[in-house]
Every structure is written in structure tokens, then in C-alpha cells.
Amino acid sequence: MLAPSQAHILVIDDTPEAIRPLLLALRGRHWRVSVATDARQGQQRAQLLAPDLILLDVRMPGMDGFALCRLLQASPRTRDIPVLFLTSAGAADERLEGLSQGGVDYIMKTCEPAELLARVQIHLQLARRRAAAVDDTPAPPLSPDEVVLRAAMRLIGQQLAELPPLEAIAARVGTHDKKLSAIFRRHLGMTVFAWVREERLRRGRELLADPLLSMQEIAGSVGFRSACNFTTAFRERMGVTPSQYRKGLQDGAAGKGTPAG
């Protein structure tokens, strides 16, 4: 990580001419500025150049900024690069989506250049402090398919309660449903929905450790329509009902807490 005055900033925007005053302001600070004009090119340049900060548009043809942000978060080489959305997409749900997918800031293209410079400066400084505090051992590289796989798994984990259709999941990680299905089969040996079922039951087992949660609450939070459906699926997979599994957890905890005689 370079000092903020020497930083390299990657701008990913399909209409860079529309933000020319902002680009000029960035270059006026003597920062190195690279530009990519679509998400695919931006992903490639982020992997190749490992910039200190990324300014990312949302509404782009093909893959949008949210999908690209998920892929950047899934790759060891780019996951620690701060992503600031710089966009005209200002709806509340869009702003929340950007921040929930890993963006550290959300800035409107109508902002004054001075505001953009101030926000960029702050995030460069924060990133520099984080980098100084962590182990800088390089992570092993991932193939493009492995990056998509990690991004899809993370997305599914965040939306287990109301999972989008397969086509929507694939689009949100920058691919299509057939390719995503092939990636899951190749790397995990199962279909997307087989993995979803396993993840729902794994998350369900974690939630059963909380005695305050009802079966209906657990079922709903992991994407089952009813406690009955959850119980049936759980028993088929685990050989016991969720209630029996929970009792086993509680009995085990009680045994560990019993003083030796």
C-alpha cells in the first residue's frame, strides 16, 4: 500500500467523459488514475494492477457494478481494495445494496470534486492503516471460476431466507445459470440447489444452538416455508429431528459444565 499521495486509483465507468471534472480533480492530486470502461475490463485491470482504491459505477452494460463488487470481494488479490461506488444510481435500495456488498462508500456523480477528493483521501488513509496491521503474506491466486464460485456462495449465504431464482443469482455474480451450475458441479461435486439445501441445513444446525429461537423462526431464516418442511429435511439429512438435535446440544453443554466429582 503506497502513501496516500502516491496512490493508484482505478476508475470503472462506461461513460468516463461524463465524470471528466472528477477525473481531472483526482489527477490534480498527483494520484495515478487508470480507467476501465466496462465491468469485465475493470475486473481484469483490478486483478492485474492491484490498485489502492477503486471507484466503481453501478449501471453499466453487461455486468453491473454490484456484480463486479461481489467478484472483487471474492478474490484474495482484490478483496482488501476499498471500493467506493461513484454513480448516478441514488435510490435508497441501490445505496444499501452497494454498501451491503462490500462498498466502503457510496458517492453521487453530482458531488463536488472537493467532496470526492476528501472521501478518497479518507479511505486511502484507512486502507493504509489496515494494511499495516495485518499479515501481508500473499494469498494463493484463484481461477476466474473459483472467484465466481466464492461470490455465489457468499451471495446465497446472505439471502437464504428469500433466495432469488438461479438466473438472478448467476447474473449477480457476472455469469449465466448454465455456467454457474457447471462451476458448482466441477468444484463442489453437486448442483447449485443441492449446495443450497446443504447450506440451509448447516445454518439451521447453528441456529438450533440458540434455545430462544423457535423452529418456525429458524425455518424461515434459512429459507424453509414451514417448521414442518424444515423438520422433514433435517431428519432426512441428519437422522434425528431438529428438536432431538437441539436436546443433544443442550445435554452436551450441561455435561461440560458439570464439575468433576
Side-chain angles (χ1 to χ4, degrees):
M1 174 66 67
L2 298 174
S5 61
Q6 302 172 307
H8 180 196
I9 298 170
L10 174 61
V11 179
I12 306 173
D13 193 305
D14 63 316
T15 55
E17 65 279 0
I19 55 170
R20 188 169 181 272
L22 299 178
L23 293 176
L24 290 174
L26 293 171
R27 292 188 169 113
R29 290 293 295 269
H30 304 293
W31 290 325
R32 179 185 170 195
V33 178
S34 300
V35 177
T37 54
D38 63 52
R40 291 292 181 194
Q41 185 185 64
Q43 183 186 17
Q44 292 169 358
R45 292 191 175 179
Q47 292 285 339
L48 178 66
L49 302 173
D52 297 286
L53 182 142
I54 294 172
L55 291 172
L56 178 58
D57 192 13
V58 171
R59 297 170 182 165
M60 294 183 287
M63 180 164 57
D64 67 18
F66 297 145
L68 176 54
C69 189
R70 293 184 188 100
L71 295 178
L72 295 173
Q73 288 283 306
S75 171
R77 183 164 173 79
T78 56
R79 66 188 174 200
D80 295 324
I81 300 173
V83 174
L84 285 66
F85 285 97
L86 179 63
T87 178
S88 58
D93 60 336
E94 291 171 315
R95 298 171 71 92
L96 288 172
E97 177 77 1
L99 296 172
S100 68
Q101 293 308 322
V104 299
D105 209 341
Y106 202 99
I107 309 167
M108 300 307 297
K109 288 182 176 180
T110 53
C111 75
E112 291 295 322
E115 179 186 352
L116 176 64
L117 295 178
R119 290 176 182 250
V120 168
Q121 180 77 22
I122 288 169
H123 287 293
L124 286 172
Q125 291 172 339
L126 291 173
R128 188 185 183 200
R129 292 172 190 167
R130 285 194 299 270
V134 300
D135 181 9
D136 60 358
T137 302
L142 296 178
S143 70
D145 281 358
E146 288 172 321
V147 171
V148 169
L149 177 65
R150 285 195 178 190
M153 291 168 69
R154 182 170 179 262
L155 175 63
I156 290 168
Q158 293 171 335
Q159 301 192 5
L160 276 178
E162 296 183 11
L163 197 65
L166 178 59
E167 294 81 358
I169 295 171
R172 292 180 191 179
V173 294
T175 188
H176 54 81
D177 55 343
K178 290 183 179 179
K179 183 173 182 180
L180 186 62
S181 296
I183 289 172
F184 267 75
R185 285 194 298 270
R186 185 180 309 119
H187 290 275
L188 300 179
M190 62 180 71
T191 66
V192 177
F193 289 110
W195 187 85
V196 167
R197 188 176 182 83
E198 288 296 312
E199 181 65 7
R200 282 175 165 157
L201 293 174
R202 184 195 67 80
R203 188 75 59 84
R205 291 196 298 273
E206 290 181 351
L207 294 175
L208 284 167
D210 185 346
L212 298 180
L213 291 175
S214 71
M215 289 301 167
Q216 185 59 52
E217 288 172 325
I218 293 174
S221 68
V222 298
F224 286 92
R225 292 184 179 179
S226 68
C228 181
N229 289 344
F230 173 60
T231 296
T232 299
F234 194 95
R235 185 174 53 238
E236 288 176 353
R237 179 68 177 83
M238 302 298 298
V240 294
T241 67
S243 297
Q244 291 169 331
Y245 184 87
R246 171 178 273 174
K247 185 176 186 302
L249 292 176
Q250 294 169 343
D251 291 346
K256 289 180 180 179
T258 301

